[in-house]
Amino acid sequence: MNFALLLIYLFIYIIRPSEWVPGMVGVPLLMYVGVLSVVAIVLGVISGKTPNVLSGDVERMMLGFIVAICLSHLSHGYVGGAINSMEKFLPSMVGFFLVITSVNDRKKFNVMILVLIALVSFVAYEGIQQYKTGYAIGGLESIFENATSTDGERIKLGRIRWYGLFNDPNDLGLLLIIVIPFLINILMQRKYVVPLISLSLVIPALYHTNSRGSMLAGAISICSYFLIRYRSKKGFMLGLVLIVPLLLLGPSRMGDMSGKEESAYGRIESWHQGYQMFKSNPMFGVGMGSYTDYHELTAHNSFVLVMAELGFVGLFFFTGLFYFPLYWLFTYINRLKYEKSDSVDNGLICSSYASLFGILTAMFFLSRSYMLIPYLLIAIILSIISICFSKFEIDSTNIIIFKSHYKNIAFLSVVQIICINLFVKIIL
């Protein structure tokens, strides 16, 4: 039941039929399926059929992050803000818990990844059609922005997009990036049909988003895959060989990428304003969704956004959500006794973490702290840990049990705050 709901949920979240399919426009399909999913998860936990969703450190970090979102408004006496913020974060929360409660074996994992690839490939195809004809299915048009070409001329630049949450080309880029390492991994297994078809759609679509951050994140994800897979100079060089053409042939807006460029300066100024918001409310922040009430531009950095809107409490749990999966990678990847470097488990680990590194890179340039994509990847990694550890007869619930990790997370949160402040002071 939960797994079927997950696949339906991913379809509605990515394809967005409520925003372009005649007869469905305006119907809150995602909300209906989300409520049904919450009921199914709760009933599963009560009956014992579903694992305790709060049994692990990452799950508890998610719960803490949800509480931090509520406290960011309740600390100011704004109950309505807490309710509205929970409604906005609900899709990410539901998607996260659907994955960790339903994807518990290799067969389900493979099905989920193939469905994810199919959905993203459809969006990529529509993006290419939008670039060629000016319209995607449903009549969605590209957006046009002023930009500087590589020869210094000012031009009108078309950027493809998708519906809803992916209406911004940068967000569409995030969606495309998530599947690239998984496609490379399938290709490495000498299964050519799916990855070659999908990559021939995803890579051009990523290019046509003309998103500098997304292109850089895609390059990082590809390089990370080979670096983690081979853990040697060979892996690094192979990844480098593949990403150099991607960067050299990158979008026209790459020519604008400099500290003196107006948008870059605006982002740094916004980080400064975010730090000022944090100083005014260091514990619980100014409230989720309130950043632009204090500054005209958003943070353009997911961690700065959380720091400003949710304060130190929110930043602690947000950092913890990424800390524990990354800790597992760096601690255990060299301890797993793979017979061959091309083992199936090794490929799963490499592709999931490469995708996460790419998304983290994009999140450094974008304010995407509350959308599903990063939490979906974290949940995917938790499923992979469970699948891989079952093979080696290791209790996955005992991966991370040391309380010192919470001190490390607090320390990293403080370091982020200090570094942001120092960086802004040096640049501005």
Side-chain angles (χ1 to χ4, degrees), residues 4-296:
L5 285 171
L6 170 63
L7 300 183
I8 296 171
Y9 196 79
L10 289 175
F11 174 84
I12 296 173
Y13 189 89
I14 295 174
I15 303 301
R16 322 295 297 184
S18 296
E19 299 176 45
W20 61 272
V21 176
M24 289 187 178
V25 175
V27 179
L29 295 176
L30 193 67
M31 185 188 72
Y32 293 155
V33 178
V35 171
L36 184 60
S37 299
V38 171
V39 172
I41 291 172
V42 172
L43 292 177
V45 172
I46 293 175
S47 64
K49 296 180 180 180
T50 300
N52 185 353
V53 295
L54 300 178
S55 60
D57 287 292
V58 179
E59 292 89 332
R60 287 191 285 270
M61 284 289 149
M62 173 59 82
L63 177 62
F65 189 62
I66 294 168
V67 172
I69 289 174
C70 294
L71 289 176
S72 71
H73 290 291
L74 294 178
S75 61
H76 301 290
Y78 186 22
V79 177
I83 295 174
N84 291 336
S85 294
M86 284 308 303
E87 289 178 353
K88 292 178 181 178
F89 189 65
L90 186 63
S92 299
M93 181 179 67
V94 171
F96 174 84
F97 284 113
L98 272 177
V99 173
I100 65 175
T101 57
S102 64
V103 184
N104 48 22
D105 60 53
R106 201 178 300 275
K107 181 178 179 181
K108 289 180 179 178
F109 179 86
N110 291 336
V111 171
M112 178 189 66
I113 293 299
L114 286 175
V115 168
L116 187 61
I117 289 172
L119 296 175
V120 174
S121 297
F122 172 80
V123 173
Y125 170 79
E126 289 300 327
I128 294 173
Q129 291 300 109
Q130 185 182 109
Y131 172 76
K132 290 181 177 179
T133 67
Y135 300 93
I137 192 170
L140 184 67
E141 299 180 33
S142 302
I143 62 172
F144 290 87
E145 298 178 356
N146 293 321
T148 303
S149 66
T150 53
D151 57 6
E153 294 184 4
R154 299 303 291 178
I155 57 173
K156 282 285 186 180
L157 189 67
R159 305 180 67 191
I160 65 170
R161 54 181 176 153
W162 188 236
Y163 290 94
L165 292 170
F166 308 108
N167 194 53
D168 187 316
N170 295 312
D171 293 326
L172 175 56
L174 275 178
L175 178 65
L176 299 171
I177 289 167
I178 192 174
V179 300
I180 292 176
F182 292 102
L183 289 168
I184 293 175
N185 185 57
I186 297 173
L187 199 59
M188 294 292 288
Q189 296 173 6
R190 298 182 181 180
K191 299 175 182 178
Y192 302 112
V193 177
V194 171
L196 290 179
I197 293 175
S198 187
L199 284 172
S200 68
L201 297 172
V202 171
I203 297 298
L206 181 62
Y207 177 85
H208 292 310
T209 63
N210 267 291
S211 171
R212 296 170 294 187
S214 296
M215 289 294 290
L216 179 61
I220 293 294
S221 66
I222 294 172
C223 190
S224 297
Y225 174 84
F226 290 101
L227 187 59
I228 298 171
R229 185 180 184 92
Y230 295 107
R231 298 187 289 280
S232 65
K233 293 181 180 179
K234 173 186 176 182
F236 177 77
M237 293 304 298
L238 184 56
L240 197 62
V241 167
L242 290 174
I243 68 171
V244 166
L246 189 65
L247 292 176
L248 291 178
L249 300 176
S252 303
R253 295 173 74 246
M254 286 291 186
D256 285 349
M257 189 176 287
S258 70
K260 296 180 180 179
E261 189 245 339
E262 184 178 350
S263 84
Y265 183 85
R267 294 181 184 214
I268 298 171
E269 171 61 27
S270 187
W271 295 359
H272 171 69
Q273 294 300 324
Y275 182 75
Q276 299 307 312
M277 295 177 212
F278 169 77
K279 284 176 62 177
S280 67
N281 298 275
M283 190 58 64
F284 299 112
V286 298
M288 176 181 164
S290 301
Y291 197 99
T292 51
D293 293 341
Y294 295 83
H295 185 62
E296 60 182 1

Side-chain angles (χ1 to χ4, degrees), residues 320-334:
L321 280 165
F322 298 99
Y323 171 88
F324 285 115
L326 292 175
Y327 172 82
W328 181 85
L329 170 68
F330 292 116
T331 302
Y332 287 93
I333 196 168
N334 290 318

